[in-house]
Structure formats: C-alpha cells, structure tokens
Amino acid sequence: MKVFCGRANPTTGSVEWLEEDEHYDYHQEIARSSYADMLHDKDRVFKPMAEAAVKIVEKNGFTDKIKIINKHSTEVTVGPDGDMPCRANILITELFDTELIGEGALPSYEHAHRHLVQEKCEAVPHRATVYAQLVESRRMWSWNKLFPVRVHTSCGEQVIVPPSDLERCPGAPSVCDIQLNQVSSADFTILSDVLPMFSVDFSKQVSSSAACHSRQFEPLASGSAQVVLSWWDIEMDPEGKIKCSMAPFWAHSDPEELQWRDHWMQCVYFLPQEEPVVQGSSLHLVAHHDDYCVWYSLQRTSPGKNGRVHPARPVCDCQAHLLWNRPRFGEINDQDRTDQYIQALRTVLKPDSVCLCVSDGSLLSLLAHHLGAEQVFTVESSAASQRLMRKIFKTNHLEDKINIIEKRPELLTSADLEGKKISLLLGEPFFTTSLLPWHNLYFWYVRTAVDQHLGPGAVVMPQTASLHAVVVEFRDLWRIRSPCGDCEGFDVHIMDDMIQRALDFRESKEAEPHPLWEYPCRCLSEPQQILTFDFRQPVPPHLVRAEGSIELRRPGRSHGAVLWMEYHLTPDSTVSTGLLKSAEDKGDCCWNPHCKQAVYFFTTTDPKVPLDGPQTVSYTVEFHPHTGDITMDFSLSDTPDDGH
C-alpha cells in the first residue's frame, strides 16, 4: 500500500505531496534514531523496541519466561486479569535523556511505585545524581543573547543594539545539549567546583512535583556568571560499584576510559541574566525542576528564606528565541562574519541603491542602511520575524527608515516596493526552514520570482554559490550508522538486522545534517567543488549533473563524505558554511560552528575497513530545479582512479 505525505519544500518554498511506502514513518524513525550508537554504549542499560524484543526472546528460547507487554508503563495493569499477575520486586528501566528527566522519568517512576512494584523493590539503575558547574563563557553566552553589532561607516561607528526585552529574556525553555568535550577550555572560565545538585533514588517512591535544590559555594574566581554546565551519573547497584557517568573529560574520574555517546551528552543552561561574582564570596546555585525540565538560578541567600519566590521555568517572551536557534544567535554575534558582509556591501552599494533583503530575521537590512543605501526593504514572511525585526528597528530608531514587507517574497508586487526597481538584492542566505546546507538555495528561487522587480544592472549578493565535498574519517560519529555485532555477550543480531534494513531505506541513503564542530574527523581528501549556482541568473529549467571522483590523499577509514555550501558575496569575498581553513598535515578539520554540515555515510561503515583501502571515491550529484532537491551517490573504489 502507498501513502501520500505532505511537506513544505524548504528549497523551492512550495507544498508537495509525495507517494511513500506505508512503512515510511517506521523506517524514518529507525533510520534517524541513532539506535546503533546506543547499542555501542557498553555500560548502558537499554530496552529494545517491542518488535525486536519479541524476536530476541523467541530466538533465545525464553518465551515461557519473558512476557513482552507492548504498552506504555502507565497503561499496564496488575491483577488476575491484568498484564502482570502481581506487583514486581525488581524495577529495570531506561527512561533517561541528556537532561535526565526530559523523557518523563519522574512521572513514570512515580506511577510504577504506586501501581506496579512492591514497596521494598530494588531498582536498576539504583540512583542518579545531577551535577552542575558555574562558568563564564562569552562563546556560550552568545548562543542566548544578542550582542551589540558594530558597523564602521564613513560617518563613524554605528552600533546596532538589541531591544531591552531581548536582554531581559531568559531564553528558550529547551535545554541546550551538546558534546561538551568539544568546547575548548579556552572558551570558558570555571567559577565553581563541580556541585552535586540533587539525587533520585529509584528504589523508593519518586515524586514528579516541582522542587528546587540549593548548593552553597564560594566562587573560584571573579567574573560574570552566565552559564551552568550540567550532567548526571547513574549508579546501577545499591553499593555504587557499577557507575555510568556523563561527566566531561575534566570532571571524569577516568578520562582515558571516557565513553563516547550521542544519545546522552551534556547540558548547557543559561542564567536569566549574567551576574557578577566575586572570588571567595558566598553564593547559592539553585537547580529547579518540574516533571520534565530543569533550570538554574543564582541567588545571594538560600532560597525559600524571607518569602523569596522561586524563579519560574524560563520561557521566551522576546520572540528572538522563537525565530533564532542557538547556532543562529552565535552566527549573528560573530563580528568577523558581520565584517565580511560589511566589506562586501561597501563594494556594491551606491548612494542611490534600492535594496531588498531576503533572509529570515537578518540584520543585513540594518547594515545596508548604515552603509548608505537610499532605501531598504526587507521581506519577513513569518509573524515571529516581523515582530522581532520591528522591535530591533524601533530600538535603533530605524522604524521609519527600513520598510518591512509582510508576505512571502514570491508574492511581491510593484506596490510593495512603492513602484521602485530593486538595484541590490541581498541575502545571507539564511532561512529557518532549512535543514541541509543546500536548502538555503531558496534564495535562488526567490531571486527568480522577483526577476521582474530587478532594475537594469541590478546586483545580487551573494553572486554565486558552490557545493563542496570532502571524504572524512570520523573519530566517533560513524557509530550512529554502524551495526554493533556482538555487544558484550548479548545476541543482538536481530536488532542489527532491523537497523540495517532501516539504513537501507531510501531516506537514510541521503545526506543528513550534523554540527560537525562537535564530532571530530580527519579529511582523507582535499576539499572538492562539486556544483556551482549562479544567482545572477534565474534558476535554470534543466537538470544540473556532476560526475567525478575524489582522490584519497591520507590513510584512514573512509566513513563518509561531508558536503557544505560556500557563498561568494563578491569575487573577492566568500563565506563558508563548512570547512573554515585547509586541513593540516594530519587532516584535522575545522568546521563552521554556526552551521550544520551534510554527512553522506558510505555503506561500509565498519571501523575495520582497511587503512590502506579504497584510493578514490566516485560520485554522481544532481540538482533538480523543479523540486530543488539535490540527489547524490558516492561509492568507494578499490583501485586508484586514473583521472578519466
């Protein structure tokens, strides 16, 4: 049976209906779930999906001893006619996420103790403890707040300042989970020791009610308290002899034995406001939580005294955190990147320039105004971007200087532009609907749609773009797409087979987005330009195809190809969303930290691929103008390519 799935095309902007197999959603879930990574985690307790569990039980001859109940635990009944004949005396679970409680662990445990297990049961895991460390970090703080943007003009320096409600806003309510081990120690200053904030004993009654836990401490250094780094560990047994820790390397008991994980990472929490701290003074770090979320506050006295009100869960009320995700905040706050756009704008702007800016919530329109454009229009198609940009313009006294057009750019009319022709079409390009690097080619489709509104000799910036690729060896990321074989004595070949079938599904053969600054890798080839796109011309009607091969110049295991876009603002100015500099002798990669790159995993993801293996990678990449899709196929070759 076939089903039709509707989706908004992130590249063309149109709504499409695609015919898919009836198992489409199922295969999607498996292929994108990183179950393989979870199976590689040797000191983790895991519960396979019900279907796989049934097959494993059958294969190992335990059907008379193990009963699979395909229900949520809160729906399980106990009694003669229930799912379980009596209450259990051992509770084995895996309900945790990076934040520990974000998958509903507390209410699930609470229900289990009340309805499913005996009063003096034993739980595996037995106990969890959440830890926190207060730091100052301009880099991480830039993921949550908008910094002043400096623009050097012929009339002096102009400063674009954030609205006051954005400065006061506590930020997005969701946790920022990252591979904290990949954040350089130079990017933060430690202000406190590692503090155990609270523990949960899973063998006793658990409460999902809101609570707070305070820890008094003396700052190790003076500075600005901005960020709380947090993680947890679990003790599998009552004596705490078997422990599984999420601690980053500097807080881990045995850094040499650090287990790589992608399903559980570390948490970054932002304080509502940065606060000055003085070394040696007494402060209280407070962890607050409800049934699903954790957040932190810094207080001068112990919470609860003098009728103090506990801070509510942070919720964005400034619109910015609804429009910009954390990498986007970092990108906008990157002054070097802004200066690159400023230098490029100086070369194309004229005193009589009429500019149209097409990006979601971009500051390009303010840059164009400050650099002398006669008139500036900006298209903001979402309600969130309209409200945010109006506030930014008002704060900077530009509400009468920059015109916001509240519609999709494809629907622009001459009246929207006050009868004027556009002499400069601008884009970063950045659009909130983009997932893969080439989805921002939506700018090209907009350029095509507004062709009639461009005046003679109109300039488009960026002028062109190019798709690049490099073959890499990942230190760890290959694990999320690799069957695990034998896993510490468990017969998980059925699970392997299930994952492999999902990985063979069409969707998983496409590239997928990953923030590679968090996932170290080595370049085995030189970067290679695959396709080019000329924004000075409309989107062509015909398919664009590239075939070729990439020569491997360094020994290593070819786990996949990484693809990214480069935007050529002018002939002399290029912005890369991928590699920021050429690989060194060892091939270590430096990736743009504000963007996700596309990873195409090769079929052979086994870490035992010979180091002196394939010498070339052949590729076919096609751009389909009608759909905006880029399809690709990469294959490993066993012999060196002769260049033909």
Side-chain angles (χ1 to χ4, degrees):
M1 185 177 75
K2 296 292 184 180
V3 294
F4 287 90
C5 301
R7 70 162 187 169
N9 188 304
T11 310
T12 66
S14 62
V15 177
E16 301 172 339
W17 289 94
L18 303 179
E19 185 181 22
E20 301 289 358
D21 181 86
E22 63 178 322
H23 300 298
Y24 175 80
D25 289 337
Y26 168 78
H27 285 299
Q28 278 274 80
E29 185 69 20
I30 299 298
R32 302 265 175 129
S33 64
S34 296
Y35 282 128
D37 161 48
M38 295 163 72
L39 293 176
H40 279 286
D41 188 347
K42 294 184 177 61
D43 54 357
R44 182 181 188 274
V45 177
F46 66 91
K47 178 182 179 183
M49 296 171 295
E51 295 89 341
V54 170
K55 293 180 180 179
I56 292 173
V57 168
E58 292 174 349
K59 181 178 176 66
N60 290 278
F62 291 124
T63 52
D64 60 335
K65 297 182 179 294
I66 299 176
K67 178 183 179 181
I68 306 298
I69 303 173
N70 192 7
K71 289 183 178 181
H72 190 280
S73 66
T74 57
E75 299 173 351
V76 172
T77 57
V78 177
D81 299 322
D83 301 305
M84 297 169 54
C86 62
R87 287 179 177 245
N89 58 10
I90 297 179
L91 177 60
I92 302 175
T93 61
E94 195 286 88
L95 299 169
F96 314 125
D97 68 347
T98 293
E99 201 172 15
L100 183 68
I101 67 172
E103 291 184 357
L106 295 182
S108 296
Y109 272 112
E110 184 175 43
H111 176 273
H113 277 285
R114 287 181 177 175
H115 302 285
L116 303 179
V117 298
Q118 299 174 11
E119 183 177 352
K120 294 185 178 180
C121 77
E122 183 52 68
V124 180
H126 180 79
R127 181 188 297 106
T129 302
V130 172
Y131 299 88
Q133 190 166 35
L134 186 68
V135 303
E136 175 181 353
S137 173
R138 179 175 175 83
R139 179 185 178 187
M140 287 185 269
W141 194 239
S142 76
W143 301 341
N144 188 55
K145 299 290 184 181
L146 179 61
F147 297 166
V149 178
R150 303 186 182 281
V151 186
H152 295 281
T153 72
S154 57
C155 301
E157 184 181 75
Q158 300 287 337
V159 181
I160 301 171
V161 296
S164 57
D165 64 341
L166 199 159
E167 291 188 298
R168 295 192 302 266
C169 183
S174 59
V175 66
C176 177
D177 54 340
I178 65 170
Q179 295 283 358
L180 198 55
N181 288 316
Q182 300 310 315
V183 177
S184 169
S185 57
D187 283 331
F188 61 94
T189 300
I190 292 175
L191 299 179
S192 79
D193 289 319
V194 175
L195 305 173
M197 298 306 299
F198 64 92
S199 294
V200 182
D201 188 333
F202 300 122
S203 66
K204 299 178 180 178
Q205 181 62 55
V206 173
S207 173
S208 62
S209 299
C212 69
H213 310 270
S214 175
R215 291 292 177 267
Q216 186 174 2
F217 72 99
E218 293 185 359
L220 301 177
S222 298
S224 294
Q226 299 168 325
V227 172
V228 176
L229 309 180
S230 184
W231 56 90
W232 50 264
D233 65 28
I234 50 177
E235 296 173 0
M236 307 304 291
D237 60 313
E239 293 76 25
K241 295 180 179 179
I242 306 172
K243 185 176 290 188
C244 180
S245 176
M246 306 306 120
F249 69 88
W250 68 87
H252 202 281
S253 59
D254 190 357
E256 296 300 320
E257 295 297 322
L258 202 65
Q259 170 75 51
W260 182 85
R261 298 178 174 91
D262 202 43
H263 47 278
W264 294 332
M265 294 185 276
Q266 294 82 36
C267 301
V268 173
Y269 296 95
F270 304 97
L271 294 178
Q273 303 294 323
E274 61 180 339
E275 299 186 36
V277 299
V278 178
Q279 182 177 9
S281 62
S282 179
L283 293 171
H284 294 264
L285 184 64
V286 186
H288 310 261
H289 73 78
D290 54 23
D291 50 350
Y292 282 90
C293 296
V294 178
W295 63 98
Y296 286 86
S297 66
L298 188 64
Q299 300 182 12
R300 304 290 171 180
T301 59
S302 180
K305 291 183 179 180
N306 304 320
R308 290 172 59 88
V309 177
H310 299 159
R313 175 185 172 190
V315 176
C316 172
D317 56 14
C318 74
Q319 305 296 319
H321 302 89
L322 303 180
L323 181 66
W324 299 331
N325 59 20
R326 290 168 179 121
R328 178 59 173 166
F329 264 97
E331 187 171 59
I332 292 174
N333 285 324
D334 187 339
Q335 186 68 49
D336 291 338
R337 179 180 182 274
T338 298
D339 289 343
Q340 215 173 338
Y341 279 90
I342 290 173
Q343 294 300 327
L345 277 169
R346 284 199 178 108
T347 67
V348 297
L349 272 175
K350 299 178 181 178
D352 60 350
S353 289
V354 177
C355 299
L356 176 63
C357 298
V358 183
S359 283
D360 289 343
S362 173
L363 301 186
L364 275 184
S365 58
L366 291 91
L367 300 183
H369 169 78
H370 283 312
L371 292 172
E374 180 180 280
Q375 191 164 5
V376 180
F377 298 91
T378 183
V379 176
E380 303 294 342
S381 55
S382 74
S385 64
Q386 293 162 18
R387 289 192 291 266
L388 175 60
M389 297 312 294
R390 287 191 188 282
K391 286 195 293 187
I392 293 176
F393 294 163
K394 184 176 182 179
T395 299
N396 290 276
H397 310 292
L398 297 176
E399 62 267 40
D400 298 327
K401 306 292 185 181
I402 302 176
N403 301 298
I404 295 180
I405 300 175
E406 302 177 9
K407 60 170 57 174
R408 292 188 62 83
E410 301 94 323
L411 304 177
L412 279 179
T413 66
S414 179
D416 295 322
L417 300 171
E418 300 177 2
K420 297 184 178 179
K421 291 291 186 180
I422 299 302
S423 57
L424 178 58
L425 178 64
L426 293 175
E428 296 193 37
F430 170 84
F431 301 98
T432 56
T433 54
S434 298
L435 296 175
L436 291 163
W438 47 87
H439 286 167
N440 284 320
L441 286 175
Y442 174 56
F443 177 76
W444 201 9
Y445 288 83
V446 171
R447 178 260 176 268
T448 303
V450 303
D451 188 64
Q452 60 182 317
H453 301 299
L454 301 180
V459 174
V460 179
M461 194 184 95
Q463 296 181 2
T464 61
S466 49
L467 178 68
H468 296 251
V470 68
V471 177
V472 302
E473 175 188 42
F474 287 109
R475 182 192 300 172
D476 297 296
L477 189 62
W478 60 268
R479 300 173 190 272
I480 70 171
R481 292 294 171 261
S482 176
C484 78
D486 182 70
C487 188
E488 293 295 312
F490 285 100
D491 186 355
V492 293
H493 291 93
I494 292 177
M495 194 67 173
D496 279 353
D497 181 63
M498 192 175 184
I499 293 172
Q500 193 57 56
R501 289 201 307 270
L503 296 181
D504 289 339
F505 181 57
R506 176 185 60 80
E507 189 73 13
S508 68
K509 291 185 178 180
E510 299 176 358
E512 53 191 67
H514 291 282
L516 291 188
W517 73 269
E518 296 185 54
Y519 304 100
C521 59
R522 293 175 55 247
C523 292
L524 302 186
S525 72
E526 295 303 315
Q528 190 157 317
Q529 182 172 299
I530 304 295
L531 290 175
T532 59
F533 313 93
D534 190 349
F535 297 157
R536 294 166 296 186
Q537 304 296 326
V539 176
H542 55 274
L543 179 143
V544 180
R545 179 186 179 95
E547 292 182 293
S549 61
I550 302 175
E551 182 181 354
L552 304 187
R553 297 180 177 273
R554 297 181 182 89
R557 300 181 174 99
S558 303
H559 290 135
V562 177
L563 300 100
W564 68 94
M565 296 290 291
E566 294 189 358
Y567 296 101
H568 312 289
L569 308 182
T570 66
D572 301 320
S573 180
T574 297
V575 173
S576 173
T577 67
L579 278 179
L580 295 183
K581 59 183 180 181
S582 299
E584 300 175 353
D585 291 341
K586 294 182 179 179
D588 294 338
C589 302
C590 178
W591 299 103
N592 186 323
H594 311 311
C595 304
K596 289 185 178 181
Q597 293 74 38
V599 179
Y600 183 102
F601 287 100
F602 297 153
T603 302
T604 303
T605 53
D606 190 329
K608 300 182 179 68
V609 172
L611 288 174
D612 59 351
Q615 301 298 306
T616 62
V617 173
S618 301
Y619 65 83
T620 301
V621 179
E622 295 179 338
F623 170 64
H624 304 263
H626 179 67
T627 62
D629 291 336
I630 290 183
T631 58
M632 62 192 67
D633 181 68
F634 289 84
S635 59
L636 299 167
S637 303
D638 292 327
T639 57
D641 185 75
D642 61 4
H644 298 288

